[in-house]
Amino acid sequence: MITKALTTRKKRLSPHLELSNSRLETMCLLIMGMVNARTVNLSHLACEFPTDSKVESTYRRLQRFFPAC
């Protein structure tokens, strides 16, 4: 079910955003995580990702998604 939702969101967003496939996937997972967790705290969102990766790895992936100012 997560895979189907992720695929649907990627198809809807891809015409509007010029992102690579991995960044687009991260964006979609980020949106889904914010809706589920009702927060924008990256450490909380990292727990929401449906992956086999460690939470610390997912947290770092989210940090890399946002460029440093």
Side-chain angles (χ1 to χ4, degrees):
M1 185 164 133
I2 295 292
T3 308
K4 185 177 179 181
L6 181 62
T7 304
T8 303
R9 281 168 182 74
K10 284 172 63 174
K11 284 182 183 178
R12 287 188 152 212
L13 290 176
S14 63
H16 306 287
L17 300 171
E18 294 183 21
L19 297 173
S20 66
N21 190 41
S22 62
R23 290 187 63 81
L24 184 61
E25 182 176 317
T26 302
M27 172 72 111
C28 292
L29 288 169
L30 184 64
I31 292 168
M32 291 168 39
M34 285 189 296
V35 170
N36 289 337
R38 298 180 306 196
T39 184
V40 294
N41 186 318
L42 295 183
S43 60
H44 292 243
L45 293 176
C47 298
E48 294 291 324
F49 274 46
T51 63
D52 294 332
S53 303
K54 293 181 180 179
V55 175
E56 294 83 12
S57 300
T58 305
Y59 176 72
R60 185 70 184 123
R61 177 180 177 182
L62 290 173
Q63 285 181 318
R64 285 192 310 265
F65 182 77
F66 295 102
C69 296

